[in-house]
Amino acid sequence: QVRVSESGGDLVQPGGSLRLSCAASGTFLSTDAMGWYRQAPGKERELVGGLYGGRVTKYADSMKDRFAISSGRAKNTVYLQMNSLKTEDTAVYYCKFRIRGRDYWGEGTQVTVSS
């Protein structure tokens, strides 16, 4: 059984920074991939970026140069550093691990950007 858990969501002012953490626990030797997604109210879930074979891939231009994804030394943790936050970054942020071809999701952490 693999469990994924995110943390670090908070209320932050526009222009501020926040770091989200995600950890996978359970019995596994390695991960195929790990990534961050987000879902804003009334919108579909979108990919923020992911780590595949150690290489970071970002998908949304609106987050380019503001967000950075990294993994921990233990390789079962992934972080999302968010800088210069905007009100439109308000969303529930989800973490996903792909292990042995199966996806495991966390329950999400709320990020609210507001003055």
Side-chain angles (χ1 to χ4, degrees):
Q1 183 73 15
V2 175
R3 297 188 63 181
V4 176
S5 178
E6 306 96 336
S7 63
D10 205 346
L11 170 64
V12 61
Q13 292 187 344
S17 297
L18 207 57
R19 189 190 196 209
L20 305 182
S21 301
C22 178
S25 60
T27 304
F28 55 93
L29 296 177
S30 62
T31 58
D32 302 330
M34 54 187 82
W36 286 97
Y37 294 72
R38 71 182 187 182
Q39 187 166 16
K43 296 186 177 180
E44 294 186 353
R45 191 172 298 188
E46 65 175 338
L47 177 65
V48 174
L51 282 166
Y52 307 90
R55 184 172 67 91
V56 177
T57 302
K58 295 187 180 70
Y59 286 81
D61 288 340
S62 63
M63 296 173 248
K64 186 179 180 180
D65 297 326
R66 298 190 299 122
F67 290 9
I69 296 174
S70 61
S71 63
R73 291 184 177 181
K75 301 301 181 183
N76 68 328
T77 56
V78 61
Y79 305 99
L80 177 63
Q81 177 67 41
M82 304 184 291
N83 300 319
S84 302
L85 283 162
K86 305 175 181 180
T87 55
E88 52 263 42
D89 293 320
T90 295
V92 178
Y93 284 72
Y94 298 91
C95 173
K96 184 185 80 173
F97 277 76
R98 177 164 292 173
I99 298 172
R100 295 191 297 271
R102 181 175 176 179
D103 292 337
Y104 297 88
W105 290 88
E107 295 186 351
T109 185
Q110 176 70 46
V111 173
T112 302
V113 184
S114 175
S115 56

